[in-house]
Amino acid sequence: MWGAVTFRTPYEALATYPDRSMPLVTFYDGADSRIELSVASVANAVAKAGSLLRDGLGLEPGAVVSVDLPRHWQLPVWVMAALSVGATVGRDLQGPVDVRILGPEGLAAITAGGDPEADEVLGCACDSFGLPVPGGVPTGVIDIGLEVRGYPDSFSPESTSVALIVTGGIARPWTDDPGAHAPERGARLWVDEATPDAVLLRAVGTQPLLVAGSVVIGLGLAPDQAERIQTAELVTDRRFGSG
């Protein structure tokens, strides 16, 4: 909620940004690899992902989705998408879940005989440009890079449902007000390897939306590189990472 403006899903929050061309997710994988997604680009990606979850997989409000992706620009997209279909969303959730979204390490574990403990499993290459998994995915896994492109760029979210996000083992409404600890409106948040897993999904997928802000994800950076990038990207809030 921003003042008098109320929204129930991340997709609806994206629609209320005053400038849809502004950067929402900026991703550094090393100092020389930079990907920037505008609010409009993220909204399109969330629409496609949400449509795959709801219309492609038949996911219903209240379903449980474990987004087990590394710190990558695809992480906030899938968190926002799952919340926008009314799911309860967590990270590395134990026991059977309705959908588990895995990155390269999770896919390797399945290939080695691991059990994902999910009705549906989606695999993500975590490629900079969203390409399919090199060499294909294990049997029974849906390759996000192949499937998501065919879904529409617009979406009608499940706005009547209460989407929940799991932090520290507790599921709460994703719009929970952090109170005095909230970033300032328009904050540009920094996330890196130091970001605790227990707060990661909020840090990248929901916290920026609550303040009409944005997020910069930095990986594989030396301290001096991280400092230069934070300055260049006009980072204003480092509470979720180092620096």
Side-chain angles (χ1 to χ4, degrees):
M1 178 180 293
W2 308 337
V5 178
T6 302
F7 41 80
R8 292 181 63 86
T9 70
Y11 188 74
E12 290 171 310
L14 291 170
T16 64
Y17 268 72
D19 181 3
R20 287 171 63 84
S21 66
M22 67 172 278
L24 179 63
V25 178
T26 305
F27 174 62
Y28 283 85
D29 188 3
D32 299 322
S33 177
R34 180 182 186 274
I35 298 291
E36 181 175 279
L37 283 76
S38 67
V39 174
S41 295
V42 171
N44 288 350
V46 170
K48 288 179 179 294
S51 295
L52 188 157
L53 292 172
R54 186 185 62 195
D55 304 331
L57 301 183
L59 204 68
E60 297 182 351
V64 178
V65 177
S66 190
V67 185
D68 304 343
L69 296 177
R71 292 151 175 75
H72 185 271
W73 66 260
Q74 294 243 20
L75 177 60
V77 167
W78 286 95
V79 173
M80 293 180 200
L83 291 170
S84 294
V85 301
T88 294
V89 181
R91 180 175 174 82
D92 299 321
L93 297 178
Q94 300 301 306
V97 299
D98 295 288
V99 176
R100 192 175 295 278
I101 304 172
L102 299 175
E105 288 189 6
L107 292 174
I110 293 179
T111 301
D115 183 355
E117 297 187 291
D119 293 338
E120 300 282 357
V121 181
L122 305 183
C124 180
C126 292
D127 175 82
S128 294
F129 301 101
L131 296 177
V133 176
V137 294
T139 302
V141 175
I142 297 170
D143 190 329
I144 285 172
L146 290 175
E147 296 295 327
V148 78
R149 297 174 185 270
Y151 287 89
D153 291 342
S154 59
F155 178 67
S156 297
E158 298 292 339
S159 58
T160 59
S161 59
V162 178
L164 304 175
I165 189 164
V166 180
T167 303
I170 301 173
R172 300 183 177 90
W174 76 273
T175 53
D176 263 8
D177 184 359
H181 300 291
E184 294 184 1
R185 182 169 171 81
R188 194 142 167 81
L189 305 170
W190 176 258
V191 170
D192 59 20
E193 292 96 338
T195 308
D197 279 351
V199 301
L200 183 61
L201 300 192
R202 282 196 182 276
V204 299
T206 65
Q207 193 74 202
L209 298 181
L210 298 180
V211 294
S214 58
V215 62
V216 181
I217 304 170
L219 301 181
L221 302 168
D224 61 326
Q225 294 173 328
E227 185 175 352
R228 287 197 298 270
I229 288 171
Q230 290 171 17
T231 300
E233 294 290 349
L234 304 179
V235 167
T236 62
D237 196 313
R238 298 171 174 82
R239 71 184 63 199
F240 297 115
S242 57

